[in-house]
Amino acid sequence: MILAAVCAIAAPAHARQAMDPAGYLDHAAIQALANAVAPAPVAGSPRDLADIAASDRLRALENTDRWMLATRHAELRPALALAHFDCALGFRLTAEDSPRLVSILERILHDANEAAELAKARAFRARPVGADPERPACTVVSPAGRASPSWPSGSATVGSAYGEAIAALAPEHATEAARIGHEIGVSRMVCAMHYPSDVAEGETLGKAAFQRIAATPAYQADAVVAREEVARARAAGLTSPACAAERAALATPLP
């Protein structure tokens, strides 16, 4: 779970639409997204064993530059997650100067995370750090976090949805922004929080969530304002000093 208080899943669907403006999608749309998530690999199946082997190889990246980037990518709160896209865009986005963009990401976080959580509730797959309680993660993980379900990756769902949103708002850097959305999911593999298949399914879910969100009138109205904020940030031309380190980390091949 990314944010425990991001939504109240137990509330009746008819009440949620009236009282919960946190996202763009109603409960029925979010449930439909969750229902479309494929089943997790069967334990002991070739796909499951391939995931475990791939995750074991990623231990080679512990305490490397890519590990440090994974630590940063674990931060998905919208006002802070904006910084993940500074280098992809070539200019800095700040929460202070981009309040509508932050609001868009907050609502995307709500919808994408809830869809992932509903999908997780259908079946349980242990995380790499759950299967091996001694395995280090790149962030502090509670016992409950280690024991939480891995399929699909909620962080990959949110990260890919963020990437699609930034790509849509800055189309001249769409490829770069979408890549960062993907790399947020990869970071959860590096961090031993998810297996590759968890991340791939999370990305699929995040992209599907954004497609639905982008079709809503509320998002379309917000996007008009957010594009103006992005244009002002581009004109201001502030850049991030962290880009050289990020490029080096992303250039590291996965083992």
Side-chain angles (χ1 to χ4, degrees):
M1 183 180 296
I2 296 170
L3 293 175
V6 94
C7 59
I9 293 175
H14 68 275
R16 291 165 55 79
Q17 287 183 316
M19 73 181 187
D20 185 4
Y24 287 107
L25 303 178
D26 62 25
H27 183 68
I30 294 172
Q31 185 67 67
L33 287 165
N35 291 345
V37 172
V42 175
S45 67
R47 190 180 182 197
D48 180 55
L49 295 176
D51 269 349
I52 293 170
S55 183
D56 284 344
R57 289 194 298 272
L58 289 171
R59 291 172 182 262
L61 296 178
E62 290 176 10
N63 300 316
T64 65
D65 288 344
R66 189 61 186 81
W67 178 267
M68 296 301 106
L69 181 61
T71 302
R72 297 203 301 275
H73 278 168
E75 177 56 79
L76 290 177
R77 287 174 293 179
L80 299 175
L82 281 179
H84 299 329
F85 296 92
D86 287 347
C87 303
L89 297 175
F91 55 87
R92 292 182 61 192
L93 292 166
T94 67
E96 294 76 14
D97 295 330
S98 308
R100 189 62 60 91
L101 177 54
V102 171
S103 176
I104 286 175
L105 295 189
E106 286 172 345
R107 298 180 76 176
I108 288 173
L109 171 63
H110 175 278
D111 293 343
N113 185 62
E114 184 171 356
E117 290 300 316
L118 289 172
K120 285 175 187 284
R122 291 162 49 198
F124 179 82
R125 186 190 199 191
R127 299 178 184 272
V129 295
D132 179 1
E134 300 302 316
R135 186 167 177 181
C138 62
T139 56
V140 176
V141 185
S142 68
R146 284 181 180 266
S148 63
S150 193
W151 177 276
S153 167
S155 294
T157 301
V158 172
S160 64
Y162 281 176
E164 294 297 301
I166 299 295
L169 295 171
E172 69 280 11
H173 296 292
T175 300
E176 297 90 339
R179 184 197 176 185
I180 294 302
H182 166 73
E183 292 291 347
I184 289 170
V186 172
S187 286
R188 302 308 280 167
M189 293 159 42
V190 172
C191 205
M193 293 300 291
H194 289 288
Y195 294 105
S197 291
D198 304 332
V199 168
E201 192 65 24
E203 283 194 68
T204 298
L205 177 58
K207 290 176 181 179
F210 181 71
Q211 286 180 350
R212 289 207 177 206
I213 288 167
T216 65
Y219 167 81
Q220 292 166 5
D222 284 345
V224 172
V225 179
R227 288 190 185 97
E228 295 172 353
E229 293 174 344
V230 170
R232 287 195 294 270
R234 184 188 299 109
L238 297 178
T239 58
S240 170
C243 291
E246 180 178 293
R247 285 192 296 271
L250 292 178
T252 304
L254 298 183

